[in-house]
Amino acid sequence: MKILDKYILKTFLRPFIATFLIVLFVLVMQVLWQTFENIAGKGISLPFILKFLYYTTLIITPQALPIAVLLSSIMALGTLGENYEFAAAKSAGISLQRLVKPLVFLTIILSAINFLFLNNVYPYAMLKQKNLYLNIKKKKPAMALVPGSFNSDIPGYQIKFDEKYGEEENLLKNVLIYDLSSNKGNQKVITAEHGKIISEEGSRYMTFILYNGYYYEEHVKSVTSVIKRKKMAASNATFDEYEFNIDISDVSGTDDLDKEKYKKSFMMLSLNQLKDTIPDLKASYDEVLALKAKNIYSSMYANDLYKYPDSIITENIKPIILDNFELKEKISIVNSAATKTDRSLSSLKNSIDSIKIKRKFLNLFDTEFYNRIAFSLSCLILFFIGAPLGSIIRKGGFGLPMILAIAIYVLYFFGNTFGKNMAEESSISSFLGSWIAVFIMVPLDILLVRRATRDKGIFNIDAFIQPITNFFKKIIPKKSTKL
């Protein structure tokens, strides 16, 4: 390896290691801050918290690596330009392409490492972290209840409250509870102004004590007639204090925090596993659509429709079918068609939500497969933005390069997230949604590389101003000067 290559690599690796560790620390702390409420105060030992941070670090690494490459490339090339080392290299006949050649090879290696992380380490870490996090939440279910939204972590109940307060955060305000434990729908509703949760570690029951509330229950028996069901009595009452127990044995008492219960999430599978899973999901989705189409086809009696040979077609039959019937028959036909159409539309409306959920579930796996491949190229794509940008601005340090790196990565991350969301909602294909950020950044790569190799600025302001100036010079006559 030549001395110049060693020097270029050394100039790049110093800020790369520093920025990678800083970005990784910031992103891990952000995740820890978001999950701190579900971890703190649950009697979780320090080794398990450190294990959670370890898995989180592995998950965040593929995101931190492209940011570090982008920022360090801007800083390294900007420092070389700021110290006039570019000018010295060009005077010696060394082009910009030759200077960044070792960095290109290094970035390709980093992209390969990023791909290996995304394909092997990321699914493993996601599996471990997700199961560890859920087991920690279940260690004290009362602490997992979140104010402001319905909580369904406890089977058979939907619990909502506005505020959780007190030293142990077990006091509730404006409580609403739907009791679904009978598996017959929402038959029991309890509201209260205030409430209290009593839950001892190791106990299979969680006790709710509610104050100043209202209780309503429908006494629905096992009858099939809708008319009889409507006649069944319902009871309601107000109370000053109401106490009841909820069995939480299915979600609490998890001593083994390493227990792996959730293994089939799309984020927990490698590319080969995703590739094997997607065809099965696609076949299942197509089967649902085919079955629904077959039901509509049968309900319309479409199988009774068939073509007559031309040789037996009656000449007196009019081209418009309804014109061949009397008025009463026309009305009967139209009403029958309208009824069957409404029935089919109603059937579609009832099943459209389940079809959308099944399609979105398929899209999640499909998008994840393409996104793993596309995102593994992010190091290479962002390097070809950072390197020419650094040589153009000729500014090192953490000031301007940091601002530019954040702005560029936000654009890349927004494009990637926007594309994934659209693909998950079936607005665009999974391939396009995963690669849309790449399609946005590659033209910017080409533009910056061309301008950097030609030793031009980011924008040539004279190219815009000069035509305007020439235009005004032509229409405004020059004043003649008399001697």
Side-chain angles (χ1 to χ4, degrees), residues 349-360:
K349 288 180 181 179
N350 292 334
S351 58
I352 193 170
D353 290 336
S354 61
I355 293 176
K356 282 184 176 180
I357 291 173
K358 203 169 188 66
R359 179 69 217 190
K360 186 171 183 179

Side-chain angles (χ1 to χ4, degrees), residues 176-444:
L176 172 62
I177 299 176
Y178 291 124
D179 187 349
L180 312 175
S181 56
S182 61
N183 296 324
K184 293 182 180 180
N186 181 24
Q187 300 177 16
K188 188 187 296 184
V189 182
I190 306 171
T191 61
E193 295 181 3
H194 299 280
K196 183 179 181 181
I197 301 177
I198 300 176
S199 177
E200 297 180 0
E201 186 173 351
S203 175
R204 62 173 294 177
Y205 292 103
M206 178 190 296
T207 301
F208 274 81
I209 304 176
L210 306 178
Y211 304 97
N212 300 327
Y214 178 79
Y215 177 98
Y216 175 82
E217 181 178 6
E218 293 180 352
H219 302 290
V220 179
K221 297 183 179 179
S222 57
V223 294
T224 57
S225 174
V226 177
I227 299 176
K228 290 182 179 180
R229 190 179 294 118
K230 290 182 178 179
K231 292 182 178 179
M232 291 296 173
S235 61
N236 61 86
T238 58
F239 58 83
D240 295 329
E241 181 177 334
Y242 178 66
E243 180 178 337
F244 65 99
N245 296 323
I246 297 179
D247 188 355
I248 57 173
S249 57
D250 292 336
V251 298
S252 64
T254 304
D255 295 327
D256 186 11
L257 294 179
D258 287 326
K259 184 178 179 181
E260 297 177 3
K261 184 178 179 181
Y262 303 94
K263 300 180 180 180
K264 299 299 182 181
S265 173
F266 61 96
M267 294 182 291
M268 301 175 185
L269 303 178
S270 64
L271 285 176
N272 288 332
Q273 291 172 328
L274 287 170
K275 189 177 180 180
D276 294 337
T277 305
I278 290 172
D280 295 335
L281 296 176
K282 184 71 167 60
S284 176
Y285 175 73
D286 292 340
E287 185 180 354
V288 171
L289 293 183
L291 181 60
K292 180 58 62 178
K294 186 177 180 181
N295 291 337
I296 295 174
Y297 184 84
S298 300
S299 64
M300 291 294 187
Y301 300 102
N303 54 339
D304 293 338
L305 299 175
Y306 53 91
K307 293 183 178 180
Y308 285 98
D310 294 340
S311 59
I312 62 174
I313 293 178
T314 305
E315 295 181 358
N316 296 328
I317 293 179
K318 299 177 181 179
I320 300 176
I321 296 176
L322 284 177
D323 292 343
N324 297 288
F325 298 91
E326 299 295 333
L327 180 60
K328 289 183 179 181
E329 294 173 333
K330 290 181 180 180
I331 295 174
S332 176
I333 292 171
V334 171
N335 288 337
S336 177
T339 301
K340 291 179 180 180
T341 303
D342 290 340
R343 190 183 301 121
S344 298
L345 290 174
S346 178
S347 176
L348 286 175
K349 288 180 181 179
N350 292 334
S351 58
I352 193 170
D353 290 336
S354 61
I355 293 176
K356 282 184 176 180
I357 291 173
K358 203 169 188 66
R359 179 69 217 190
K360 186 171 183 179
F361 189 69
L362 170 61
N363 290 341
L364 289 173
F365 283 79
D366 210 11
T367 305
E368 183 70 15
F369 177 80
Y370 289 113
N371 188 67
R372 295 267 184 94
I373 301 173
F375 199 78
S376 62
L377 298 176
S378 56
C379 291
L380 199 60
I381 292 171
L382 294 180
F383 170 78
F384 280 107
I385 290 179
L389 192 60
S391 65
I392 292 173
I393 63 173
R394 299 176 183 177
K395 189 71 175 177
F398 278 94
L400 182 60
M402 177 69 77
I403 297 174
L404 292 174
I406 292 174
I408 293 169
Y409 188 78
V410 166
L411 176 63
Y412 178 79
F413 184 77
F414 174 78
N416 187 58
T417 304
F418 179 73
K420 285 177 60 179
N421 291 340
M422 291 187 68
E424 290 170 5
E425 297 298 332
S426 299
S427 300
I428 56 178
S429 66
S430 298
F431 176 82
L432 180 59
S434 302
W435 285 84
I436 192 169
V438 177
F439 297 151
I440 293 173
M441 303 306 286
V442 167
L444 184 59

